[in-house]
């Protein structure tokens, strides 16, 4: 039976990327752990020759409910037309990125993206744009590699995440008993709850399409559940946020149910 989300992903979304002048490329990061990062990157960047970018590199990091191009597909064309060299990675255990490493931390994701970019010849400076979970990765990259990351743009994310934030989130979503149940839905009903919470415009999707989305986009459940656990337990232990050297732009939706706008005013 045809999975329509897979068809959308392989044909329509991929066409958006190629129309923006991007091509798909897998970058080996760590041979011992078999870590490979899948990228959509500018056609002129040939990894085998490590050519440096002709324009300012812009790295788009996706959130927890999708992969790179499923999140940023409608933005890459406009950004490329503005003269940016657009790089769209899949985080480890999303899309085409894989690893045997047991590390589930945000820091691990940041190290993998940083290493992959350098393998592609992107030594900096670049702008990293992160959405939701991708915002944590963007902040981590900025703190660890100020020479690589010149500026950061983050939407729907804070620098740290604590148990109190998690409890408040679950309090706003009475249908979910845990953050894993909310962010890693197993049923059509649970996925509809996530969609209704995450989207400002209420959209109806046929049950068949929702089931197809579950099969394609909600895989690697064990690894992703461990990532959520690490996000709360480890980042919440940080005494204070890093002192960033970069320019940081925060974009916040006034009706954001996951990260209320008051968190951005602290």
């Amino acid at each position: 039976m045809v999975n329509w989300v897979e068809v959308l992903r392989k044909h329509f979304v991929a066409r958006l990327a190629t129309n923006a002048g991007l091509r798909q490329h897998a970058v080996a990061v760590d041979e011992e752990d078999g870590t490979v990062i899948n990228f959509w990157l500018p056609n002129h960047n040939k990894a085998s020759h490590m050519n440096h970018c002709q324009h300012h590199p812009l790295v788009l990091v996706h959130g927890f409910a999708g992969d790179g191009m499923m999140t940023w597909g409608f933005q890459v064309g406009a950004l490329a037309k503005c003269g940016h060299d657009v790089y769209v990675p899949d985080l480890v255990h999303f899309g085409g990125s894989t690893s045997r490493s047991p590390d589930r931390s945000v820091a691990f994701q940041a190290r993998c993206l940083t290493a992959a970019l350098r393998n592609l010849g992107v030594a900096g400076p670049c702008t990293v744009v992160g959405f939701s979970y991708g915002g944590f990765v963007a902040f981590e990259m900025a703190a660890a590699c100020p020479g690589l990351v010149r500026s950061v743009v983050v939407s729907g994310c804070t620098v740290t995440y604590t148990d109190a934030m998690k409890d408040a989130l679950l309090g706003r979503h009475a249908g979910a008993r845990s953050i894993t149940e909310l962010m890693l839905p197993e049923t059509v009903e649970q996925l509809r709850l996530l969609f209704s919470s995450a989207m400002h415009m209420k959209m109806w999707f046929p049950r068949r399409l929702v089931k197809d989305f579950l099969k394609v986009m909600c895989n690697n459940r064990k690894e992703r559940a461990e990532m959520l656990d690490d996000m709360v337990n480890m980042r919440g232990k940080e005494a204070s946020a890093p002192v960033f050297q970069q320019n940081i732009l925060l974009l916040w939706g006034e009706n954001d149910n996951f990260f209320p706008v008051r968190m951005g005013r602290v």
Side-chain angles (χ1 to χ4, degrees):
M1 185 178 293
V2 174
N3 185 302
W4 291 108
V5 173
E6 189 65 35
V7 171
L8 176 71
R9 190 183 186 194
K10 286 186 175 181
H11 297 282
F12 178 69
V13 175
R15 179 62 62 86
L16 291 175
T18 55
N19 286 348
L22 306 183
R23 64 184 178 89
Q24 198 168 19
H25 182 71
V27 184
V29 171
D30 187 331
E31 292 185 7
E32 182 177 348
D33 288 325
T35 304
V36 175
I37 304 298
N38 180 66
F39 265 90
W40 284 92
L41 47 80
N43 265 319
H44 66 75
N45 183 299
K46 301 298 182 182
S48 59
H49 296 91
M50 291 195 179
N51 292 337
H52 288 278
C53 299
Q54 298 175 358
H55 307 290
H56 181 69
L58 184 64
V59 184
L60 306 179
V61 189
H62 63 83
F64 210 82
D67 59 23
M69 281 305 301
M70 287 291 283
T71 301
W72 299 107
F74 289 103
Q75 285 76 42
V76 292
L79 292 170
K81 286 181 181 178
C82 289
H84 297 293
D85 275 346
V86 180
Y87 291 79
V88 186
D90 291 335
L91 294 172
V92 179
H93 306 303
F94 293 83
S97 296
T98 60
S99 178
R100 294 190 299 270
S101 171
D103 196 336
R104 304 289 183 251
S105 66
V106 172
F108 173 72
Q109 298 281 358
R111 288 196 302 270
C112 289
L113 289 195
T114 299
L117 287 167
R118 285 176 172 157
N119 287 352
L120 290 169
V122 182
C126 67
T127 295
V128 181
V129 182
F131 167 67
S132 190
Y133 182 83
F136 292 133
V137 179
F139 282 133
E140 191 75 33
M141 292 175 67
C145 303
L148 173 67
V149 182
R150 183 180 74 181
S151 54
V152 177
V153 180
V154 167
S155 175
C157 182
T158 57
V159 177
T160 60
Y161 197 77
T162 65
D163 274 316
M165 292 178 181
K166 178 196 69 175
D167 292 342
L169 172 66
L170 295 177
R172 294 190 296 272
H173 298 82
R177 294 167 295 181
S178 68
I179 190 170
T180 301
E181 184 178 293
L182 178 63
M183 299 303 298
L184 281 173
E186 296 185 78
T187 67
V188 168
E189 290 69 28
Q190 289 174 349
L191 184 55
R192 287 196 189 279
L193 173 64
L194 178 61
F195 282 166
S196 66
S197 301
M199 296 180 178
H200 177 60
M201 295 180 63
K202 304 306 178 185
M203 301 178 66
W204 180 84
F205 298 98
R207 185 178 182 86
R208 166 69 186 281
L209 194 62
V210 177
K211 290 178 69 176
D212 286 352
F213 187 96
L214 275 172
K215 292 178 182 177
V216 174
M217 304 304 297
C218 298
N219 51 13
N220 296 330
R221 300 185 60 82
K222 176 180 179 294
E223 293 85 356
R224 295 189 195 183
E226 291 170 355
M227 289 165 59
L228 288 172
D229 184 62
D230 180 87
M231 179 185 74
V232 175
N233 294 331
M234 296 305 294
R235 294 187 69 78
K237 293 178 182 177
E238 296 179 0
S240 59
V243 177
F244 293 103
Q245 302 178 31
Q246 297 89 347
N247 293 322
I248 295 177
L249 173 63
L250 296 179
L251 302 176
W252 227 286
E254 61 181 358
N255 297 310
D256 192 327
N257 285 323
F258 286 83
F259 296 93
V261 68
R262 65 177 178 276
M263 293 181 179
R265 298 193 178 109
V266 176

